[in-house]
Amino acid sequence: PVFGNWFQILFVENNGMAFGMEIFNKYFLTGFRLVAVTFLGYLLHKLLKNGSYPFGFIVCVAMILAGAVGNIIDCLFYGEIFSSSYGSVAGFVPWGEGYASFMQGRVVDMFYFPLFTWPEWLPLVGGGIFFAPVFNFADACISCSVVAMLLFYRKYFL
């Protein structure tokens, strides 16, 4: 616990996408991330070169790019340099002796905000935690930037 029970630091290794979602296999997901980062880098270059986009929009694109790069670094290399954490604490190992091969690593998540538990009598959500996902800083950069872009910069997508 950091601030009472509503904010905790945990250690969770996530096989999938943001907030632990698993939709496709690791090679597809890593390939998609690499293509997305390449596209976002190109887009950011074009936006900066154009000079007519607001600073906040540029910051949002840069934060999405930074978050994607952070998750890629975990995915590409984390499995190569750490032992498995199943039943123990992960530790550094010599390069290539980790629990997974290149592009097969898990992303480390650590922020947990169990703000409150829904009352038992509520249908569908009763007894569940209001916001249960564990996430990392990269996920937060991506998610907050996408929300900010949808709220404040919609006109730049049309």
Side-chain angles (χ1 to χ4, degrees):
V2 177
F3 295 110
N5 289 330
W6 66 271
F7 173 43
Q8 300 172 23
I9 300 288
L10 301 176
F11 176 79
V12 176
E13 291 181 336
N14 168 2
N15 271 330
M17 297 168 45
F19 306 114
M21 295 184 291
E22 292 186 42
I23 298 174
F24 301 106
N25 70 38
K26 292 293 286 184
Y27 288 117
F28 178 84
L29 182 58
T30 302
F32 173 78
R33 285 175 175 157
L34 291 170
V35 168
V37 162
T38 302
F39 170 75
L40 285 169
Y42 174 78
L43 176 65
L44 186 60
H45 172 72
K46 286 293 193 186
L47 294 175
L48 289 170
K49 193 173 179 181
N50 183 306
S52 65
Y53 288 88
F55 180 73
F57 185 79
I58 301 290
V59 168
C60 287
V61 173
M63 285 178 57
I64 293 169
L65 176 61
V69 167
N71 280 336
I72 285 174
I73 290 170
D74 266 3
C75 183
L76 293 178
F77 304 114
Y78 187 81
E80 292 272 0
I81 61 172
F82 281 96
S83 63
S84 176
S85 65
Y86 186 74
S88 65
V89 177
F92 277 112
V93 296
W95 183 268
E97 294 181 17
Y99 69 87
S101 61
F102 184 68
M103 294 179 66
Q104 293 293 301
R106 295 185 285 259
V107 175
V108 176
D109 292 335
M110 72 284 299
F111 301 130
Y112 181 51
F113 290 90
L115 299 176
F116 62 87
T117 303
W118 294 104
E120 292 287 337
W121 53 267
L122 279 174
L124 303 176
V125 294
I129 296 172
F130 169 68
F131 186 73
V134 180
F135 59 97
N136 61 29
F137 188 72
D139 295 336
C141 285
I142 294 167
S143 301
C144 291
S145 296
V146 167
V147 168
M149 290 174 94
L150 292 173
L151 289 175
F152 304 114
Y153 302 107
R154 276 190 308 264
K155 68 180 180 180
Y156 295 100
F157 294 112
L158 303 175

